[in-house]
Amino acid sequence: MHSRLYIAFHVQWILASFLEQSLHRIRPDITLDELGADSFDLVELQAIMEETFGIFIAEPLRAYVTFAELVELIYKTMANPPAPPH
């Protein structure tokens, strides 16, 4: 299992690349909305996170999710994966 630091590094890089933001702008308390993510971006970001980390995120990502909350969600999902839909 990956550490939170490993996950945070990769999520930060993914968000910076995908949303065309500076790595330095992505702080623990910044929301996806503040980074400029719209509803279409959220769907695509969720798919990228699932593919990158080999997980299934049961609930759709929301714009008000912070960077720190996203890292924690991925970490917990990797530890206790939900059953994918049939």
Side-chain angles (χ1 to χ4, degrees):
M1 174 138 143
H2 297 297
S3 69
R4 283 181 179 89
L5 183 61
Y6 175 91
I7 294 167
F9 173 79
H10 283 81
V11 170
Q12 184 181 31
W13 187 86
I14 290 167
L15 291 175
S17 274
F18 186 80
L19 298 173
E20 299 177 352
Q21 297 289 329
S22 164
L23 283 170
H24 302 290
R25 184 155 188 258
I26 302 172
R27 312 174 311 276
D29 63 335
I30 197 162
T31 64
L32 297 177
D33 180 58
E34 291 173 312
L35 289 171
D38 62 23
S39 58
F40 296 110
D41 293 332
L42 294 174
V43 171
E44 196 162 347
L45 278 169
Q46 182 165 341
I48 291 169
M49 299 297 169
E50 289 175 341
E51 184 176 334
T52 299
F53 295 103
I55 58 174
F56 172 72
I57 301 172
E59 295 292 320
L61 289 183
R62 303 284 183 219
Y64 56 79
V65 169
T66 66
F67 170 71
E69 291 169 339
L70 181 56
V71 169
E72 190 63 21
L73 171 67
I74 292 168
Y75 181 79
K76 286 182 177 179
T77 302
M78 290 177 80
N80 300 307
H86 296 298

